[in-house]
Amino acid sequence: MNFLIDRFREIIEFFDRKFENTKLNDPWGTISTFFFSLKTVNPLAGPHIRDNTDLKRYMSAVMGAAAPTVLASIYFFGWRSLALVIFCYVLGIIIEMGFATAKGEEVTEGMFVTCILYPMILPPTIPFWMAGVGLAVGLILGKEVFGGTGKNIFNPAIVGRVFLAVTFPVHMASRWVTPYGGFPGGFLHWVKSGDAVTAASPLIDFKNGTASNITDMLIGSTSGSLGETSAILIIIGGLFLLYTRIANWRLTLSTIVSAMVLAALMHAANPTAFASPLFHLAGGGLLFGAFYMVTDPVSSPFTSIGKWIYGGLIGAVTIVIRNLSGFPEGMMFAILLLNMFAPVIDDAVLAMKYKKAGGA
């Protein structure tokens, strides 16, 4: 293992020298430090908080937590799902390196997370060109126009997904497929497309008066977006993020609890019109969004109270959209809407806190 690491380091150092003092130096620096630690660190003295989790390790942890859902998407829908992920990475790197080279800056690490989460919230049979258009819109209009990672107010993956939902509603709402089952599932297939028009997601089925089996929804053997069908695997990856403190537990917990409480109240009022809390939890993008999207550190509030308010509103708005609108899914719209109000929530919390402190 040490031999391989040494050879890998030699390759990295070769390109370090090759790209030094060129426009490719900063983009290459980002790629190389994705695999190894940064070459420069803060001095030992001084008022710095020192921790072994930098931004690149943060992004690596999120991608690792999302890996089980990627594998599950291959099992349920075939190898086309992995090809879509690779396609998104290639396009994302091209877009990011283009902007980074033009501005003389590093490739932003957020792109690596966007390119694995974005395809997981798309239908299995979406055309590659369409997915590419959505990704480009998400990265450019959702992030680059604001100045890049750390300055954007919207989650780029959600921006791309909402753009596709509004622009190509037929492909995004009706082109579902029933997943493979048994052994080896989709690992021997490219994609299952024979029933691409007739299959519907559990949330759409419920709107049409048919309730899907909760067990199937927990396992993942129902139609839906590539990474949103298996509730169990989403929870496993999400708990890893919470355990390692990569994701803030307040955001996830407040989102899920508020959604469950409102869903329970509406279900109790009219069980035939409104699905049960467990159905809402296991179906659609609620869990995936609560663990991977709501917890985005850039587009979410930074105050603790603000996180509770932000997550609580996302969960409640999601259930309202699902139950009272014509859209079967509401998570993406709820996140995008609350992204706009995250700074306002923080400002209100800080204003109340310091006003109270000043009055005391």
Side-chain angles (χ1 to χ4, degrees):
M1 180 61 71
N2 289 334
F3 173 80
L4 293 177
I5 293 177
D6 290 340
R7 300 294 78 74
F8 199 24
R9 288 188 183 278
E10 290 177 1
I11 296 173
I12 296 293
E13 291 171 358
F14 169 79
F15 283 104
D16 284 343
R17 296 189 298 269
K18 192 75 172 177
F19 294 136
E20 189 176 7
N21 299 323
T22 70
K23 283 190 174 183
L24 295 176
N25 183 63
D26 288 330
W28 168 250
T30 298
I31 295 174
S32 64
T33 53
F34 178 77
F35 298 99
F36 292 105
S37 299
L38 294 170
K39 299 181 182 66
T40 56
V41 296
N42 285 333
L44 295 179
H48 302 291
I49 297 176
R50 291 179 290 277
D51 196 295
N52 62 354
T53 303
D54 61 14
L55 184 58
K56 292 180 177 60
R57 299 302 170 265
Y58 177 98
M59 299 302 177
S60 300
V62 175
M63 288 188 289
T69 62
V70 176
L71 291 175
S73 70
I74 300 173
Y75 171 79
F76 290 122
F77 302 110
W79 286 99
R80 188 180 188 275
S81 63
L82 180 60
L84 183 62
V85 173
I86 296 173
F87 169 77
C88 288
Y89 267 109
V90 172
L91 180 60
I93 290 174
I94 292 174
I95 293 174
E96 287 288 338
M97 290 196 68
F99 276 93
T101 302
K103 295 186 294 184
E105 300 176 353
E106 290 187 355
V107 175
T108 53
E109 296 83 357
M111 176 272 298
F112 294 104
V113 171
T114 299
C115 290
I116 195 172
L117 296 183
Y118 169 73
M120 292 296 100
I121 57 178
L122 298 179
T125 60
I126 185 170
F128 279 65
W129 70 266
M130 193 179 294
V133 170
L135 179 62
V137 170
L139 290 176
I140 297 173
L141 299 184
K143 185 178 67 170
E144 293 299 339
V145 296
F146 295 99
T149 299
K151 301 177 183 178
N152 55 293
I153 64 173
F154 297 108
N155 184 304
I158 296 295
V159 172
R161 176 66 165 79
V162 170
F163 172 81
L164 291 181
V166 174
T167 310
F168 307 104
V170 174
H171 283 274
M172 298 299 293
S174 62
R175 300 299 176 87
W176 306 106
V177 297
T178 54
Y180 288 101
F183 179 82
F187 285 107
L188 293 180
H189 304 274
W190 171 249
V191 66
K192 188 173 183 180
S193 57
D195 52 358
V197 178
T198 58
S201 67
L203 295 177
I204 295 176
D205 279 339
F206 189 85
K207 287 275 188 180
N208 296 328
T210 303
S212 300
N213 185 279
I214 295 293
T215 301
D216 291 337
M217 295 167 65
L218 292 174
I219 296 174
S221 53
T222 59
S223 58
S225 296
L226 286 171
E228 295 178 349
T229 59
S230 178
I232 293 177
L233 289 179
I234 295 172
I235 292 173
I236 291 174
L239 290 178
F240 168 77
L241 293 179
L242 297 183
Y243 176 76
T244 56
R245 298 185 180 181
I246 296 298
N248 189 283
W249 63 272
R250 296 176 182 85
L251 291 167
T252 299
L253 183 61
S254 59
T255 300
I256 294 175
V257 169
S258 66
M260 294 301 93
V261 170
L262 183 56
L265 293 175
M266 298 183 76
H267 179 68
N270 191 341
T272 58
F274 306 125
S276 68
L278 183 58
F279 187 92
H280 278 289
L281 184 66
L286 179 59
L287 276 176
F288 193 86
F291 282 113
Y292 294 99
M293 301 294 188
V294 177
T295 54
D296 175 20
V298 177
S299 57
S300 62
F302 63 86
T303 60
S304 295
I305 297 177
K307 294 180 189 298
W308 286 108
I309 297 173
Y310 177 80
L313 289 175
I314 287 178
V317 171
T318 298
I319 299 302
V320 169
I321 295 176
R322 284 183 174 186
N323 285 342
L324 302 180
S325 76
F327 292 97
E329 179 59 89
M331 192 63 176
M332 58 180 177
F333 293 111
I335 294 175
L336 198 63
L337 176 64
L338 268 298
N339 280 168
M340 294 188 293
F341 290 97
V344 178
I345 293 173
D346 275 333
D347 286 344
V349 169
L350 292 175
M352 293 178 62
K353 179 178 179 180
Y354 287 107
K355 180 180 179 180
K356 183 177 181 180

